[in-house]
Amino acid sequence: TSLFFLAHPGYGANVGGTVAAGTAFGLAALLHARVRFSWAHALALGTVATALVATVAWWDGTRSLAVQSHLGKAVNLVRQEGWPAVQEIIGRKLATNLRLIRYTVWTRALLSGLAVLAVLLYYQVGKVGECCRSYPKLTRSLVAMVAGSFVALVFNDSGIVAAATMMIYGIGPFLTLILAYK
């Protein structure tokens, strides 16, 4: 249901959120099924995400202009102006992301938190390792969340904010669990 509300044009058609959530949910499903992740899986997740976004974009682009989300309006702009419109949209989104990364103070702290969590999950030693072995489903979910955060950083309009927000919901409980672990 989360993907439905993220992708649905009537609720804003959040493309970056849809791609990030789809990636995180898909990776979590693979990890919980104990499937060894490969480049073929990454390609499959990317293909599904692309197909989902393309379908939503097409659907939104066919609706009347009065009810279209920003995605539908972008589709119409690309239909009218072609490749230059795509370049302008990408340039605007990159400029917004770079401005947020450069001028937001807490961005650096949250990126550091993301890096620290990724390292803790990769090199599981001491109390962190014991906690990860005791709660393997949580560990797999955190790995999927880290991947989803990186995808949000790349694909969301304000990627650093989306990635940071996603990380908050994993770092807090994980650190609390580690601190409370005997």
Side-chain angles (χ1 to χ4, degrees), residues 29-92:
L30 288 172
L31 293 174
H32 288 302
R34 305 248 185 195
V35 173
R36 185 165 174 84
F37 191 74
S38 67
W39 285 108
H41 291 113
L43 181 61
L45 284 173
T47 302
V48 169
T50 302
L52 176 63
V53 170
T55 302
V56 170
W58 170 81
W59 175 33
D60 198 13
T62 62
R63 299 177 341 139
S64 75
L65 194 58
V67 295
Q68 285 181 352
S69 71
H70 68 288
L71 178 60
K73 291 175 183 171
V75 167
N76 285 329
L77 184 66
V78 170
R79 282 182 186 150
Q80 292 170 1
E81 297 180 16
W83 183 247
V86 173
Q87 290 174 313
E88 182 185 341
I89 291 169
I90 291 171
R92 253 191 348 257

Side-chain angles (χ1 to χ4, degrees), residues 127-135 176-182:
K127 197 173 183 181
V128 174
E130 292 173 25
C131 190
C132 288
R133 283 186 292 281
S134 296
Y135 299 97
T176 301
L177 187 62
I178 290 170
L179 291 172
Y181 195 76
K182 297 177 183 180

